[in-house]
Amino acid sequence: MTVSDIQALNVPSGMDVEFLTKSLSVTIRGDKNLIKNIVPPDIIVTVDFTDAQLGSYTVKPTILLSNAYSSVGAIGNYSVSVTVRSAP
């Protein structure tokens, strides 16, 4: 499933984040009766920038599903390209 809503968490004051990766193709594993009902907004992709540094690099996102689908999950390794700049 392709997810285009990638959320930045804990961006330090004075920094701006730009996601160079605009969407992520996520593989879900679990009960097929549940999986068939999942839509992209049910998949939550976040990146924690608590220890962010300025520059462009690749980070590992966290992928969760909404509470209604807690018995299924994402499998695989994912990465997101970002640029962290000083805020204007």
Side-chain angles (χ1 to χ4, degrees), residues 17-48:
V17 172
E18 176 188 2
F19 287 103
L20 303 176
T21 301
K22 301 300 182 193
S23 64
L24 205 57
S25 182
V26 177
T27 302
I28 304 297
R29 174 177 60 185
D31 183 302
K32 65 182 175 182
N33 291 320
L34 288 175
I35 290 174
K36 70 181 180 183
N37 296 317
I38 295 174
V39 294
D42 293 322
I43 302 170
I44 303 156
V45 179
T46 62
V47 176
D48 186 348

Side-chain angles (χ1 to χ4, degrees), residues 10 15 47-48 71 73:
N10 304 314
M15 292 185 176
V47 176
D48 186 348
S71 63

Side-chain angles (χ1 to χ4, degrees), residues 41-85:
D42 293 322
I43 302 170
I44 303 156
V45 179
T46 62
V47 176
D48 186 348
F49 287 95
T50 299
D51 296 321
Q53 297 185 15
L54 299 177
S56 294
Y57 44 90
T58 302
V59 294
K60 183 179 177 180
T62 299
I63 301 173
L64 300 170
L65 276 85
S66 64
N67 291 338
Y69 300 103
S70 61
S71 63
V72 299
I75 59 169
N77 294 310
Y78 301 93
S79 62
V80 175
S81 296
V82 299
T83 297
V84 179
R85 297 184 179 99

